[in-house]
């Protein structure tokens, strides 16, 4: 026969577990507060800026987003040093930055949220400590001056900062811009919420199964397959391991150069 005190203890434990699960579900599902950051730990780095007339504003940098303003990223963007860039996989990820350790130039109580759109190449003519700001193992952020001046006075130059990875919040759905010619199909994936970066992509026509695409560069993905005259669906997986499927995003009569909008990851 079971011990009554043991049964009572077991029931109390079950009630406690149920209460914990219910509380977690309620707070994560219905809370109107901002989403928790992807990382609560702040890391040390340095940041510099470039002028607004820099051609990087027009060409979109190493991630391939094109005109950053037209693509919806505006000036809330950043170029990353090699230690952070991950050969382009990080493109689209969001970071929060704050100025630290310099009371002369920091604007107290401020931070900025930026999207990774570019690469700061190493300069091996200098050492990492003597001018090669983006040389490994340096963690360095290159910001538009409009973003830099929200956390520090421009005279600061090469500023110590702290950063953390956060969830991206984007308006509208994930965008698929189809390029290429003939059977070569290239797809630029942009405006990605949640983790922001994409690690795997599949494409499907009405006459095919799901076909894996390869990363060309940045967030440009490609495949050699005749997908013309078919509605196109996309399956994208982010660095959190979440997969988003958008069916029939592009209609049967799609053309190269067009952009289509699918579903969106939750932030």
């Amino acid at each position: 026969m079971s011990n009554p005190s043991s049964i009572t203890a077991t029931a109390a434990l079950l009630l406690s577990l149920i209460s914990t699960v219910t509380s977690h579900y309620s707070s994560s599902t219905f809370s109107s507060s901002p989403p928790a950051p992807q990382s609560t730990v702040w890391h040390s780095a340095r940041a510099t800026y470039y002028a607004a007339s820099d051609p990087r504003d027009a060409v979109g940098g190493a991630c391939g987003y094109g005109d950053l303003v037209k693509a919806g990223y505006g000036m809330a963007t950043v170029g990353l040093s090699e230690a952070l860039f991950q050969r382009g996989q990080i493109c689209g990820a969001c970071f929060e930055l704050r100025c630290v350790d310099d009371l002369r130039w920091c604007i107290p109580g401020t931070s900025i949220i930026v999207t990774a759109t570019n690469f700061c190449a190493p300069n091996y003519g200098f050492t990492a400590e003597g001018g090669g700001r983006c040389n490994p193992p340096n963690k360095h952020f290159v910001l538009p001056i409009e973003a830099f001046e929200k956390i520090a006075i421009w005279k600061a130059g090469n500023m110590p900062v702290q950063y953390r990875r956060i969830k991206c919040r984007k308006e509208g759905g994930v965008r698929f811009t189809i390029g290429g010619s003939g059977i070569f199909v290239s797809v630029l994936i942009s405006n990605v919420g949640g983790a922001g970066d994409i690690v795997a992509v599949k494409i499907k026509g009405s006459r095919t199964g799901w076909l894996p695409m390869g990363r060309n560069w940045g967030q440009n993905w490609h495949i050699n397959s005749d997908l013309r005259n078919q509605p196109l669906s996309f399956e994208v997986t982010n660095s959190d391991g979440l997969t988003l499927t958008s069916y029939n995003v592009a209609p049967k009569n799609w053309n190269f150069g067009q952009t289509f909008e699918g579903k969106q990851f939750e932030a």
Side-chain angles (χ1 to χ4, degrees):
M1 185 173 180
S2 301
N3 188 327
S5 61
S6 174
I7 294 173
T8 302
T10 301
L13 177 60
L14 287 172
L15 286 172
S16 175
L17 289 172
I18 292 169
S19 176
T20 301
V21 171
T22 304
S23 174
H24 174 75
Y25 179 82
S26 299
S27 62
S28 62
T29 306
F30 301 107
S31 173
S32 60
S33 60
Q38 190 162 328
S39 173
T40 57
V41 179
W42 291 90
H43 305 277
S44 296
R46 300 191 76 88
T48 49
Y49 64 84
Y50 63 89
S53 59
D54 194 293
R56 279 175 284 198
D57 292 344
V59 301
C63 293
Y65 292 126
D67 187 309
L68 296 176
V69 175
K70 290 182 179 179
Y73 294 104
M75 294 291 104
T77 60
V78 67
L80 304 178
S81 65
E82 188 172 292
L84 295 166
F85 192 63
Q86 300 176 14
R87 297 184 177 181
Q89 180 181 305
I90 200 72
C91 289
C94 295
F95 295 87
E96 183 177 8
L97 275 69
R98 64 186 183 189
C99 181
V100 294
D101 298 336
D102 198 328
L103 297 179
R104 293 175 303 164
W105 309 122
C106 290
I107 300 174
T110 60
S111 69
I112 54 172
I113 295 173
V114 290
T115 302
T117 61
N118 207 352
F119 174 52
C120 178
N123 182 350
Y124 293 114
F126 297 93
T127 65
E129 299 79 21
R133 294 171 178 172
C134 291
N135 292 5
N138 292 347
K139 294 181 178 180
H140 196 90
F141 294 82
V142 182
L143 299 159
I145 190 170
E146 293 87 347
F148 186 91
E149 287 187 317
K150 292 185 182 299
I151 58 172
I153 298 170
W154 67 271
K155 290 183 179 180
N158 187 16
M159 278 295 303
V161 296
Q162 289 181 333
Y163 73 94
R164 63 181 177 181
R165 181 87 177 265
I166 66 168
K167 299 289 187 181
C168 299
R169 282 186 168 181
K170 302 297 182 183
E171 295 292 330
V174 174
R175 296 176 190 145
F176 303 89
T177 302
I178 304 175
S181 177
I183 66 169
F184 177 75
V185 179
S186 174
V187 179
L188 168 64
I189 301 175
S190 61
N191 199 54
V192 181
D197 54 345
I198 297 299
V199 299
V201 179
K202 291 181 181 179
I203 189 171
K204 182 183 182 301
S206 59
R207 298 192 297 271
T208 74
W210 285 104
L211 307 172
M213 303 187 75
R215 187 190 301 275
N216 197 340
W217 57 288
Q219 288 299 352
N220 286 272
W221 298 75
H222 71 278
I223 190 171
N224 287 312
S225 181
D226 190 357
L227 295 167
R228 292 168 292 187
N229 301 312
Q230 302 176 61
L232 301 179
S233 303
F234 295 93
E235 180 182 282
V236 295
T237 302
N238 66 18
S239 60
D240 283 344
L242 300 176
T243 297
L244 182 74
T245 304
S246 298
Y247 290 100
N248 300 322
V249 170
K252 179 180 179 179
N253 61 344
W254 63 267
N255 288 306
F256 293 109
Q258 291 182 309
T259 298
F260 303 96
E261 193 169 291
K263 296 179 181 179
Q264 184 60 274
F265 290 100
E266 293 184 6

